[in-house]
Amino acid sequence: MRPIPRLQEALSPSSRPVRRLDLVACSGLSETALRSSFSEIEALYRSVDGVLSAVSNGLDLPCHRGCSACCRQSVFLTPIEFLYGWHWAQTHLEEETLEEIVGRGIALYHEHKALIGSLEEASHQKRDAFEIARGLRFDCPYLGGDGACRIYPARELLGRLFGCSFLSEGALYACSLVEAHLQGRSLPFPRAPQMAQMLRTLPLSSRRQVYPYYLFHLHRESASLDALPWLVEETVEG
Ligand code: SF4
Ligand code: SF4
């Protein structure tokens, strides 16, 4: 894994990046803990991808690059997954692309502020947020113009599971294309909620929110680079 740049490196006078952040400071974790969490996420994603590849082998799923309906709804992820994805983004993407992603994320946050706020409220009160989440639909800020994910290797766990897992007995966690394709087959798919539990051993993993929420809180004007309380509050369960 590439090193996690600290703020002082990121802000070198020759190239003062606007959107590249000191994620160690933002996370409130030590550099060692953050680095180790990122390594664990990488290992977990590799292992999950291996399982999903095995269980979907031979099914000829209709998923392909650019088929992105699953990225045009509300996708939930934990803070540590978000930080890992942003670390990947700010390590691999150009500044203009980061700027565009942040701009879209903040605009989406404002557009859907009421529903995102309702999600927060429901999760603070330990209420089921499913109905609210169903009404929250938007194009993921990480989607590129070609319909492909711009952080594909670092995308969230639930995105990986979508299309080849179950939510509960007989209830596919998938889009209608996949459902129609797999109708009537006996499937060896894992349960998404159980797989999602594997993240719980990591720090900053006890809640889930949507990308615009994280992008807004990390990049809004006057955002603090100190450990941010919104990363650690207990809220949405996946
Ligand atoms: S899960 Fe559905 S929408 Fe997503 S890539 Fe596969 S077929 Fe396309
Ligand atoms: S991060 Fe990538 S895979 Fe996840 S919802 Fe956004 S575009 Fe889709």
Side-chain angles (χ1 to χ4, degrees), residues 7-82:
L7 187 61
Q8 55 273 28
E9 296 166 30
L11 297 182
S12 71
S14 56
S15 59
R16 185 184 178 280
V18 180
R19 296 304 185 186
R20 291 188 164 80
L21 300 175
D22 179 348
L23 295 184
V24 175
C26 294
S27 70
L29 301 174
S30 69
E31 183 161 1
T32 308
L34 189 61
R35 192 184 290 279
S36 150
S37 299
F38 284 175
S39 295
E40 281 187 55
I41 286 194
E42 278 177 356
L44 175 62
Y45 285 171
R46 257 200 315 276
S47 148
V48 167
D49 288 350
V51 169
L52 298 179
S53 163
V55 297
S56 56
N57 186 30
L59 293 175
D60 196 21
L61 291 174
C63 306
H64 59 85
R65 185 181 164 85
C67 174
S68 53
C70 45
C71 306
R72 300 181 192 276
Q73 54 189 329
S74 45
V75 173
F76 286 79
L77 68 159
T78 59
I80 195 70
E81 288 174 279
F82 174 79

Side-chain angles (χ1 to χ4, degrees), residues 87 136 208:
H87 171 60
L136 182 57
R208 284 192 170 80

Side-chain angles (χ1 to χ4, degrees), residues 18-19 86 94-105:
V18 180
R19 296 304 185 186
W86 188 254
E94 298 294 329
E95 188 64 31
E96 311 82 70
T97 309
L98 297 179
E99 191 61 42
E100 189 236 319
I101 290 166
V102 168
R104 281 172 58 185

Side-chain angles (χ1 to χ4, degrees), residues 67 78 103 125 165 181 237:
C67 174
T78 59
Q125 296 167 358
S165 63
H181 182 76
E237 290 302 307

